[in-house]
Structure formats: structure tokens, C-alpha cells
Amino acid sequence: MSFFSKLREAIVQKSEAVTQKFTDGLTKTRNLLVEKVEDLVRRYKKIDEDFFEELEEILITADVGVGTVMELIDELRGEVRRQKIENALDLQPILSEKLVALLKNEEADATSLQLEDGRLNVILFVGVNGVGKTTTIGKMAHMFKQQGKKVLLAAGDTFRAAAIEQLEVWGERVGVDVIKHQQGADPAAVIYDALQAAKSRGVDILLCDTAGRLQNKVNLMEELNKVYRVVQREVPGAPHEVLLVLDATTGQNALSQAKTFGQSAGVTGIVLTKLDGTAKGGIVIAIRNELKIPVKYVGLGERMDDLQPFDPEQFVHALFAGLIAEEAAETAKQQQE
Amino acid sequence: MAFESLASRLQGAFDKLRGRGKIDETAVNEAMREVRLALLEADVNFKVVKEFIARVKERAVGQEVLKSLTPGQMVIKIVNEELTALMGGDVAKIAVANRPPTVVMMVGLQGAGKTTSTGKLAKHLQKQNRKPLLVAADIYRPAAIKQLQVLGEQIKAPVFSLGDQVSPVEIARQAIEHAKENHLDYVLIDTAGRLHIDEALMEELRQVREVAKPDEILLVVDAMTGQDAVNVAESFNQQLELTGVVLTKLDGDTRGGAALSVKAVTGKPIKFAAMGEKLDALEPFHPDRMASRILGMGDVLSLIEKAQEAVDTEKAKQMERQMRQGEFTFDMFLDSMQQMRNLGPLEDILGMLPGMNKLKGNMKVDEKQIGRVEAIVKSMTKAERANPDLLNASRRKRIAAGSGTSIQEVNRFIKQFEDMKKMMKQFTGMTDKIKKKQKKGGLKMPGMNFPFNFKPPFK
Ligand SMILES: Nc1nc2c(ncn2[C@@H]2O[C@H](COP(=O)(O)OP(=O)(O)OP(=O)(O)O)[C@@H](O)[C@H]2O)c(=O)[nH]1
Ligand SMILES: Nc1nc2c(ncn2[C@@H]2O[C@H](COP(=O)(O)OP(=O)(O)OP(=O)(O)O)[C@@H](O)[C@H]2O)c(=O)[nH]1
Ligand SMILES: [Mg+2]
Ligand SMILES: [Mg+2]
């Protein structure tokens, strides 16, 4: 069975249709990667320096990290030499397979949240300014509420103008309470109060907002670490998830964000937002490859149901939908003959 | 992903090329490969990179190499000049309408920093004795109006709002009326974040523009934006005809290649650089600094500016002469240490050096430790300072006692001094590296070799 048939099967077996929204959101990425790769392969019958250079550019344009791209290209060069490949068409499946390998999580369940029934689950949201932390909390609160969970929000951003009010609007929309202090209060104190409230109210899931901060601000990262320690101290085993919210339009700096927030706040997963716009899912490849932090959710808009669990296979499917369809048609043709 | 500075990466490629009188094509190609990578790592869009490289190549091939530079450094000089030129333009000049109020529209993607920048711009205008009106035309984002009101309160600027049930077009129209009636001379319209591909919301902006007839439409761009910056900027520019750009979040550690991309595809000047969350964190955009930031060469320019004020040129010249002869004494060490002190807090200086930003945290430059080193050197006799070979065990013991340090510390320092001395011999290249940053015939900074390679002697 060819690689793509296997992939297709894996997706079909999942029995859930690839959500239209997801596919739509990723159309741009797919167009970018797939069409360009196809175009490239078609134009370059022979593999030469120019071919590799252009391939490199295609991947870089999708915001796949420069390091990852260089590695990938090196590997491909190796394959070409080893297998004595001359025709660019013959290289295409190898290239696709390598990209898929970069995207797939090692453990199947790495994308699901580490939540358990019958205990207080605490999720901390961290990230740089304006990436979508507060909005994601609103969306996630909605999602859990729909699952019948008892949810509470903590307004841990006491710095940004009207950050508390913003979270309150989300609380109203979704119908969950928000624990808050005044603007300018100590974020660790807000989180402490929220933890106590969550315990006494028998809450299933507490979602903690934090102020956006750039990862090179040492004092702000220290402040975040303090919040983290308060959660650790007050609820054994918590935080159960620390989600780093990343803006999909971010370039190479996303790697530095993941690295530094990982150190200060023990990031366990990533939410990739704003994938509805320009959908440079490429950054995911770089993050998986270089940092091994799994992407758990993707944000696909500003409304409360614009949140989807990240499914690497769906992602790959969306990424390579064009290629897969083509191969399927070809196989069918071959069988007819 | 170690972002090695371009300067150091190029060093290898350039060493080979030393001594050629003209820049030939091989030299340029070799250099351009590295420049290209550096630009891509900085998130400059690949198409922009391609065009840029082509232009630099054309200019570089066949160029006479300035006497003081190696061919490689000459190439970098050209790259830097071209980058700076490309990003140049009207800096920080905000339009003034013939008949007030001047209307400014802030537009951009979600979370780019529009609302914050609106507040900053108002404060900037207030400092010039202008009376800005903040207009809350984001009726979508939760608490967007409140956010602008809080900012307005902080700077005591009036905020115009009609709540979130009136269309932004109507809000803009009434706001301008309000400004006229109240003799407010600037109207800053904060619009909701939107995707450039969101047709309905882009149409809304066109309608606001129709009504407000803005003198400025500023695209607010997050400096961390990746390759897609070109699509966003191009699209906003096509649909709205921008007049300028505000680049935000430059207080981060991103290389900020988006600056180049945006300028290249829109041709519109980057008017402001936003450097923090507070309302005074808005600065004029410096193309030259941005160029060296994108290239990963640190803010060498700022350092040179500072150095120009602080370094005792005569002493430095003498020191350079000695160093070139392979001479490096404790006295020279002390001198360069003092000169460095004059430059300001060490951490600031290190932060400006290529590749040092990362190190800064780990290095924890400790002024106290440096004081100890000074004490050690000062406890040496003149003869010892000039001739380190004299430093036998008993002399070292005396120095430790005299400086209030331990013999181990003295030993470690002397060992490190010897290492430095060895390195110094290979440093002639470093002087040239700095020279290439100097404007034609401009300042001379011999002797600055040392601080560029300074390592704190103690952990
Ligand atoms: N198109 C789109 N916009 C989004 C998405 N997620 C968030 N946003 C928008 O991005 C902007 C910033 O979102 P916030 O949730 O305020 O971001 P934040 O990380 O909490 O910001 P700070 O607290 O200021 O650091 C808002 O306008 C959101 O509506 C998404 O998935 N797609
Ligand atoms: N560090 C830093 N943060 C900034 C800067 N400019 C804005 N921010 C932060 O970025 C986040 C988003 O800023 P906003 O002004 O709300 O962005 P916006 O474009 O109005 O967002 P929407 O209205 O949701 O589209 C906030 O947390 C700001 O404090 C800057 O120059 N540096
Ligand atoms: Mg927030
Ligand atoms: Mg706003």
C-alpha cells in the first residue's frame, strides 16, 4: 500500500469527517505548500540546485522554521544520492512522507488535555501579547460547559487595560463565573483566590488567564513563575495543563516563545490561534520538530465555537488533500486498465 | 536554533577573500548565501529577500574595496546601506491637515497593538501641545471600548464612544463633528482587528475611510509577524491606501524582518516603533538600527554612538598600535576596562552587541567582580603589569593579599588574561569589523577591540 493510501485509510478509519471549517482554515496553507510543491515537481523534471533552492523557499514561506527546512533539505539530498533519484516526481512522495513525519505526534494521545473527572483541573494560559489567550479561554469555557462541566475563570491579567472586563464579557457570554481583583492587583493573589473558590464550589475546570508578556522580560517571566508556583502549592498535581497560546502569523520568534515559556511555566501544550486568516500552519512543523511540545488546539476565528482540537492527521490531510486526491484518481485509473 | 550573528558567520567566508582589491562574483555569491539565510531567519519574506539580494549583488560586484576593509566587510557595508535605504522614509512625521482636525485611522490584524498604539500616539501628540480625541470604533471585541477609555483616562485625553450598537461609520462621522465642536485638532480612530481576507470587515473600513477622509491610515504590524506580513500589508494597502506603518512589540527579541517586508511591498514609511506596553513606549523608527537588528549585528550603531562620546581616542589609538604588535599588558587591560565603564552599565553595552543579548541573562555581569579584577591589577607593581612573566607564586600571594582576594582568584584571572592575550593576537580582524560600521571618514574607534570580546574573568 502506498504511503498516501495508508494515510487516507487512517483518516477514513477515524470515521469523523474532516471538519469543513478546519479544511477551509487550512486552504491557504495547503495551497501554499501543496500547489507549490506540485508545481515545482512538474517544472523541474530534473533535480538540481535550483530545485532544492526553490523547495527551500516554498517551505520557508509557510513559516516552517529555517533550521527545520535546512535539515529537511539535507535529508532529501541524502535520499536523492542514496536512491539515485533523478526525476523530481520520484522525490515527491519522500518529501511528503518526511513532512508528515515531522507533524505527527509520537504518542497518539498527546493532543488531548490531561483532565480527569472527579477532581479540580487547573489550566493555565500563557503567551506573548495579543495572541488570543483571553479569547481562547472564552472558547474553551464554552466547550467545557457544553460537555456539562462546571467551569470557573480566573482574571489573572491585572495589567492590561480592561483585560478583566474582557474576560467578564466572555464569562457572561458563556455563562460561567469569573474570579477577579482590581486592575493592578497581584496576579498570584487573584489566582490564589480563584483556586480557593474553585475548591469550595466543587468546580471541575478552572481556566486561568494571565497577562501577555514578551518572553525576554525577565521580571514578567518571574511573575508568571510565581503564579505557577502558587497553583502547584495550592492544588497537588496542578496545573494539569499549561497552554502556550501562539499566534499562527508569528514567524521564527514562536520557537523562542515556546522555549522560554516552557522554562518559566512548564508548558504542556500549544494552542495555535488565528489559523483562519493566513493559516501558516508551518510553524507547527518547526515547533514539533525542534521543541517536541504538542499542539493541542487550534483557533479558527473570534467566536466562541471557533476552537478545534488539533488532529495531526486531519492537519496533514488538509495540508495534502490535493496530493491525496490526485493519487487516489491515479490508482483508480491504474485499476481500470 | 542559535541565531549566530551574521557578522560572525560571515567571518569564515570572508577570511578566504582577504587581500583582493576588488569584489569579484565568487566573493559576492559566497557572502550572499549567508546574508540570505540571515534575512530569512529574521522573517524577511523570501521574495523580498530575493529581490534585495539581486540588487545588492549588482551593486557589489566589481566594487573597489575601501582601503580599511576586507572584501567581505565591504559587502556587508553595502548590504547594510541598502537595507537602511530600503527601510528609510519620512520618520515619525505625522500628517497635519490644513484644516483641523487631522484624522488618523488605525488598522490591522487582531491583536497587533492598534488600541495601545492609539493611546501612545495620543500621548505623543499631547507632548506637541496637540489635543487628540480617541475614537472607539471597535464595536466587536469584548471590552474594546472600555480598553480605550481606560487608556484615555491614563493620559487625560477625551474618548468618543457611541457604544457597540452603532456602526463604526456613524461613530467616525459623529466623532469628527464632536472634535470640530470642541476644538480638538486630532481624531484618532481605533478600529477593530480584522483579517485582510475578511471582505465584509474590509468593506467596513473602506466606508469609514469614505466618511472620515483620514489624513493618515496607519497599518499596525506586530514585529513578530512571519512570512505572511507581505500578504497582510499588500492587501491592506491595496484596499485602503495606507500612509504609513507602526511596528509594535519591538521590545521583544524578534529580529523583526517584517519591517523590511512591509516596507518593500507597500512602499509606505514605517513611522513609529512601539517598544512596550506602557503609553510612553512609542519612538521614531530608526532604519539604520532596524537594519542591523535584522542582520543580527546587534545595535552596534548605538554602541558606536556611545563609544564616540566616551572613548579617549588618543589612549585608544596608542593601545591599538601596541595590540597590533601583539602587546597586551595589565595596564592596557585596566585602561580598556575604564573606558568600558565610561560607556555605561555593562549590561546595556553587552545588550547592544551581536549575539550578546542571549548571553546577557547567563552572564550576569557583575560590577563587583569587575571591581575585584581592578583591585588585583592595581595591586601589581609597574614592572609586573608590563611583564606578566614576572608573576611567580610569591608575587601572586602578595597581590592576593593586597587586593583582598584569594590566590585562586588571582590565578584564575592571570590565566584568563593570558588567554585574552592570545586571542588579542587574532583580533586584528575585529578592529576592521568595527570600522566597517563607521560612516565614510567618520569616527575612528581603535582599541575598542577589547570590549567587544570582553568576558568577565570570574564566574
Ligand atoms: N481571527 C482570529 N482572531 C482571533 C483568534 N483568537 C483570538 N483572536 C483575536 O485576537 C485579538 C486578541 O485576542 P485576546 O484574546 O485579547 O489576546 P490575549 O492573548 O488575551 O491578549 P493580551 O491579554 O493583551 O496579551 C482579539 O481581537 C481576538 O478576537 C482566532 O483564532 N482567529
Ligand atoms: N510588549 C509590547 N506589548 C504591546 C505593544 N503594543 C501593544 N502591546 C500589547 O499587545 C496586546 C494587544 O494590544 P492591543 O492594543 O489590544 O491590540 P489591538 O490591535 O487593538 O487588538 P484587537 O483590537 O483585539 O485587534 C496588549 O497586551 C498590549 O498591551 C508593544 O509595543 N510592546
Ligand atoms: Mg488577554
Ligand atoms: Mg483593539
Side-chain angles (χ1 to χ4, degrees):
Chain A
M1 212 188 317
S2 85
F3 162 71
F4 281 116
S5 326
K6 267 187 264 173
L7 180 64
R8 187 168 56 244
E9 206 133 293
I11 292 161
V12 172
Q13 272 167 8
K14 283 215 143 181
S15 82
E16 53 188 355
V18 176
T19 56
Q20 190 54 38
K21 206 179 239 173
F22 202 95
T23 317
D24 287 349
L26 291 168
T27 315
K28 271 216 142 182
T29 316
R30 195 192 58 215
N31 289 348
L32 252 166
L33 273 171
V34 178
E35 280 173 17
K36 283 193 179 162
V37 169
E38 281 177 354
D39 180 52
L40 180 73
V41 166
R42 226 174 281 124
R43 272 186 301 120
Y44 287 88
K45 298 229 169 59
K46 254 190 81 186
I47 298 170
D48 55 13
E49 252 332 282
D50 287 349
F51 171 84
F52 280 116
E53 201 160 298
E54 194 163 333
L55 179 59
E56 184 186 295
E57 281 174 352
I58 289 169
L59 294 169
I60 285 172
T61 309
D63 276 325
V64 176
V66 177
T68 306
V69 173
M70 297 305 158
E71 230 169 78
L72 187 75
I73 301 270
D74 277 351
E75 280 173 28
L76 284 175
R77 275 183 211 275
E79 289 293 329
V80 166
R81 235 177 293 121
R82 240 190 323 280
Q83 305 188 24
K84 302 201 169 45
I85 300 171
E86 282 177 359
N87 194 323
L89 270 168
D90 297 334
L91 187 64
Q92 187 183 346
I94 299 173
L95 165 65
S96 308
E97 193 162 3
K98 288 218 180 302
L99 281 175
V100 175
L102 287 177
L103 267 167
K104 269 197 150 177
N105 287 317
E106 270 122 46
E107 301 131 56
D109 61 354
T111 54
S112 60
L113 296 173
Q114 304 301 303
L115 304 179
E116 275 173 32
D117 285 339
R119 71 164 186 207
L120 167 59
N121 294 283
V122 183
I123 308 182
L124 197 59
F125 289 78
V126 302
V128 298
N129 307 82
V131 287
K133 293 175 292 300
T134 309
T135 308
T136 302
I137 288 176
K139 293 174 187 174
M140 218 171 251
H142 173 66
M143 178 183 85
F144 289 133
K145 189 104 193 303
Q146 284 199 317
Q147 294 168 8
K149 300 279 193 308
K150 188 158 188 211
V151 184
L152 187 66
L153 308 182
D157 180 356
T158 59
F159 179 79
R160 213 209 59 207
I164 299 167
E165 287 85 347
Q166 186 188 359
L167 192 69
E168 281 183 309
V169 172
W170 274 107
E172 273 161 38
R173 268 189 200 173
V174 175
V176 302
D177 285 347
V178 179
I179 302 297
K180 59 160 184 176
H181 284 191
Q182 300 291 316
Q183 186 175 359
D186 177 9
V190 182
I191 299 300
Y192 177 87
D193 277 2
L195 290 165
Q196 305 313 323
K199 280 191 233 173
S200 68
R201 296 183 195 185
V203 159
D204 296 315
I205 300 168
L206 173 67
L207 304 175
C208 305
D209 196 9
T210 62
R213 66 201 76 220
L214 298 177
Q215 71 275 18
N216 61 333
K217 309 262 163 114
V218 178
N219 54 337
L220 294 181
M221 295 309 282
E222 185 47 43
E223 177 194 87
L224 184 64
N225 187 257
K226 189 177 155 199
V227 168
Y228 181 76
R229 290 197 310 263
V230 167
V231 176
Q232 267 185 328
R233 196 186 60 210
E234 294 307 312
V235 180
H240 306 93
E241 287 283 354
V242 179
L243 296 180
L244 173 70
V245 183
L246 282 182
D247 183 330
T249 48
T250 310
Q252 307 272 304
N253 195 254
L255 291 169
S256 151
Q257 292 170 24
K259 206 175 271 178
T260 315
F261 277 98
Q263 283 158 8
S264 297
V267 171
T268 58
I270 284 168
V271 180
L272 191 63
T273 62
K274 308 186 195 175
L275 217 41
D276 49 323
T278 45
K280 304 281 186 173
I283 200 72
V284 181
I285 298 179
I287 289 164
R288 276 234 45 84
N289 190 39
E290 294 186 28
L291 295 163
K292 312 279 179 251
I293 303 174
V295 180
K296 300 205 168 184
Y297 278 84
V298 294
L300 298 160
E302 299 184 76
R303 288 166 320 170
M304 69 183 152
D305 52 1
D306 290 334
L307 185 74
Q308 296 274 332
F310 178 74
D311 182 333
E313 256 158 16
Q314 282 188 351
F315 186 92
V316 171
H317 182 269
L319 218 60
F320 292 99
L323 286 179
I324 292 170
E326 218 167 78
E327 206 200 338
E330 229 162 78
T331 322
K333 217 170 78 189
Q334 278 169 6
Q335 279 166 351
Q336 273 179 356
E337 284 165 9
Chain B
M1 28 124 229
F3 283 143
E4 229 182 314
S5 82
L6 180 63
S8 58
R9 265 215 317 239
L10 285 169
Q11 202 57 50
F14 292 157
D15 281 344
K16 288 182 244 158
L17 311 171
R18 211 162 278 203
R20 298 189 201 171
K22 264 195 184 137
I23 303 175
D24 59 27
E25 199 156 351
T26 343
V28 172
N29 284 340
E30 198 148 337
M32 284 308 120
R33 243 196 305 280
E34 295 296 331
V35 172
R36 176 173 171 274
L37 260 187
L39 294 177
L40 288 174
E41 275 180 352
D43 288 324
V44 180
N45 178 268
F46 91 85
K47 272 189 201 145
V48 175
V49 171
K50 212 175 210 171
E51 281 161 24
F52 179 77
I53 296 283
R55 191 165 51 244
V56 173
K57 255 188 201 170
E58 198 173 306
R59 212 192 117 182
V61 174
Q63 272 249 355
E64 295 280 335
V65 177
L66 292 184
K67 270 219 176 62
S68 55
L69 303 181
T70 67
Q73 289 162 349
M74 190 67 201
V75 171
I76 277 294
K77 181 172 163 345
I78 295 168
V79 168
N80 202 37
E81 280 170 10
E82 286 286 324
L83 260 187
T84 307
L86 213 156
M87 284 187 297
D90 322 339
V91 172
K93 281 258 161 58
I94 195 106
V96 186
N98 289 333
R99 281 178 47 214
T102 306
V103 179
V104 182
M105 241 171 108
M106 310 292 277
V107 301
L109 293 183
Q110 288 95 343
K114 293 173 296 300
T115 307
T116 312
S117 299
T118 306
K120 289 175 182 174
L121 198 54
K123 182 157 188 182
H124 174 82
L125 289 165
Q126 282 175 331
K127 278 194 212 140
Q128 301 171 7
N129 293 322
R130 301 287 187 179
K131 281 181 277 174
L133 174 67
L134 302 176
V135 182
D138 178 357
I139 57 170
Y140 307 105
R141 171 175 167 165
I145 297 172
K146 177 74 187 183
Q147 185 186 358
L148 196 67
Q149 283 167 339
V150 171
L151 298 180
E153 220 167 275
Q154 281 174 19
I155 55 172
K156 300 193 169 52
V159 178
F160 186 86
S161 162
L162 295 175
D164 58 6
Q165 299 300 316
V166 177
S167 85
V169 181
E170 184 58 21
I171 294 172
R173 200 186 58 73
Q174 291 194 31
I176 292 168
E177 282 312 308
H178 178 87
K180 279 181 187 157
E181 282 160 20
N182 293 277
H183 306 290
L184 298 166
D185 52 9
Y186 270 85
V187 174
L188 310 181
I189 305 175
D190 177 32
T191 66
R194 65 202 72 212
L195 300 171
H196 52 293
I197 50 170
D198 186 328
E199 280 169 25
L201 284 181
M202 289 306 286
E203 174 57 29
E204 178 193 275
L205 282 185
R206 275 194 296 272
Q207 286 176 17
V208 171
R209 185 188 63 172
E210 200 66 31
V211 166
K213 304 206 169 36
D215 305 279
E216 290 268 15
I217 303 183
L218 298 178
L219 179 69
V220 181
V221 180
D222 185 327
M224 295 178 280
T225 310
Q227 293 285 316
D228 206 46
V230 290
N231 300 327
V232 176
E234 209 162 26
S235 186
F236 267 96
N237 191 40
Q238 267 166 15
Q239 300 183 61
L240 294 168
E241 268 199 55
L242 306 171
T243 60
V245 173
V246 179
L247 201 61
T248 64
K249 306 180 199 175
L250 274 166
D251 45 327
D253 60 5
T254 181
R255 296 261 291 276
L260 188 61
S261 303
V262 166
K263 180 70 205 290
V265 297
T266 63
K268 300 297 155 61
I270 299 171
K271 297 205 167 185
F272 292 99
M275 317 271 291
E277 296 188 70
K278 303 234 173 79
L279 293 184
D280 50 9
L282 189 72
E283 293 180 11
F285 177 75
H286 291 292
D288 50 353
R289 292 190 191 164
M290 198 65 215
S292 48
R293 178 171 178 155
I294 290 175
L295 283 174
M297 304 215 288
D299 216 341
V300 180
L301 288 171
S302 315
L303 181 68
I304 288 176
E305 271 169 29
K306 270 192 148 185
Q308 193 171 16
E309 295 157 15
V311 173
D312 179 338
T313 349
E314 265 317 297
K315 242 187 198 162
K317 242 184 219 158
Q318 191 201 337
M319 201 188 292
E320 195 205 13
R321 236 173 283 127
Q322 284 175 301
M323 271 192 218
R324 279 192 184 281
Q325 291 158 8
E327 207 182 308
F328 185 57
T329 67
F330 284 109
D331 273 325
M332 289 163 71
F333 173 85
L334 213 57
D335 275 347
S336 58
M337 191 85 92
Q338 260 142 18
Q339 298 207 336
M340 252 172 81
R341 278 254 175 100
N342 294 341
L343 289 177
L346 261 181
E347 298 222 42
D348 283 6
I349 304 288
L350 287 177
M352 287 187 247
L353 295 181
M356 282 298 199
N357 232 333
K358 259 194 327 233
L359 280 178
K360 233 166 84 176
N362 309 338
M363 251 163 110
K364 284 264 183 296
V365 180
D366 187 346
E367 296 271 351
K368 248 192 245 152
Q369 293 288 24
I370 289 169
R372 291 164 88 86
V373 171
E374 272 181 356
I376 292 174
V377 176
K378 282 183 176 153
S379 301
M380 294 176 185
T381 66
K382 247 199 160 130
E384 283 166 350
R385 285 193 217 176
N387 184 7
D389 291 341
L390 288 177
L391 292 166
N392 58 22
S394 68
R395 283 175 190 256
R396 291 183 188 205
K397 208 183 271 173
R398 192 206 73 237
I399 291 166
S403 59
T405 57
S406 68
I407 182 106
Q408 286 87 348
E409 267 177 287
V410 173
N411 283 339
R412 216 180 313 154
F413 168 60
I414 293 172
K415 167 85 175 50
Q416 279 169 335
F417 175 81
E418 292 296 342
D419 288 347
M420 277 185 225
K421 193 171 163 181
K422 254 179 255 156
M423 277 165 63
M424 284 297 168
K425 293 199 174 128
Q426 304 157 11
F427 272 175
T428 1
M430 287 302 293
T431 332
D432 299 334
K433 212 187 249 178
I434 294 155
K435 274 191 193 144
K436 74 164 186 271
K437 301 291 302 182
Q438 299 166 357
K439 299 270 147 63
K440 268 167 254 153
L443 88 146
K444 280 251 149 61
M445 267 202 351
M448 280 301 290
N449 320 30
F450 178 57
F452 272 83
N453 290 272
F454 175 77
K455 290 207 182 65
F458 300 126
K459 270 186 228 109

